[in-house]
Amino acid sequence: MKKFIRIYPLYWAALGILVVIFGFLNISPGHVSPYNFRTDNMLLHLSGLQGIFPWNEIQSMWFVGVIVLFYLLYPVIAYVPKNLSGTLVVSSGIFVFLLILHGFFGLIHEGALEYYPLFVSGILINQIVYSSKKIADERYLKNFLSGSLCLAGIMILVLALRKFHQFNLQVLPGIIIHILLTGA
């Protein structure tokens, strides 16, 4: 609830600024399609439910809807299962349900599906680190996390290079092997 109270006023202010700049002042948004400030779309975005009902998106405001969706799912994933394997089962079931809602009914924003594994991995890491049982050695977990972050950074760099400079992806396995062997 504290997070909602912190996020919503800033989000509403950002929506208000968008309406003033691109709606009332009629300034062109540039390279994006014009904003849709119809009443139904504004009510959807004011509620923060655009992550669940991804229609008539206001450019770059989809992420708040995805955060709201994740806040709604968090108690089910983090507190209903009693152990780590239960968390994996529940989170996987929810993911399949979200995929079905997206594929068959057009519900659930694509961004929610893209960021869901990262969201669940945060819950799993929290459960591993703060478990009363020693599931994993803390040093091993820190090394694994730092290696994962390095690998994610390299993947982002490679994708950026590929997009802007037509980078050859055939060198990627060599880079990954080098990182794994040096213990990133």
Side-chain angles (χ1 to χ4, degrees), residues 15 18-20 22-24 35-39 41-42 58:
L15 273 176
L18 284 175
V19 169
V20 168
F22 300 116
F24 293 128
Y35 290 97
N36 179 359
F37 295 124
R38 285 191 338 253
T39 305
N41 196 32
M42 288 306 298
I58 293 178

Side-chain angles (χ1 to χ4, degrees), residues 158-171:
V158 167
L159 290 173
L161 286 172
R162 182 171 180 223
K163 178 159 180 81
F164 298 112
H165 299 292
Q166 298 304 320
F167 186 68
N168 185 355
L169 289 180
Q170 291 176 345
V171 299

Side-chain angles (χ1 to χ4, degrees), residues 128-131 134-146:
I128 291 169
V129 170
Y130 294 108
S131 172
K134 273 295 200 193
I135 296 174
D137 180 34
E138 218 171 293
R139 183 174 172 212
Y140 171 78
L141 186 61
K142 287 179 184 177
N143 288 341
F144 177 76
L145 289 176
S146 62

Side-chain angles (χ1 to χ4, degrees), residues 31-107:
H31 65 283
V32 297
S33 58
Y35 290 97
N36 179 359
F37 295 124
R38 285 191 338 253
T39 305
D40 60 338
N41 196 32
M42 288 306 298
L43 289 174
L44 178 68
H45 280 76
L46 284 171
S47 69
L49 295 176
Q50 67 271 23
I52 298 170
F53 306 104
W55 308 300
N56 300 319
E57 175 181 315
I58 293 178
Q59 185 69 28
S60 72
M61 290 296 176
W62 64 268
F63 196 72
V64 174
V66 170
I67 290 171
V68 169
L69 174 63
F70 288 168
Y71 280 148
L72 294 172
L73 293 175
Y74 178 77
V76 176
I77 297 171
Y79 299 116
V80 170
K82 301 297 182 208
N83 56 30
L84 200 58
S85 61
T87 301
L88 285 169
V89 169
V90 168
S91 62
S92 297
I94 290 173
F95 186 65
V96 168
F97 181 67
L98 294 176
L99 281 171
I100 290 169
L101 287 176
H102 178 73
F104 290 106
F105 303 106
L107 298 172

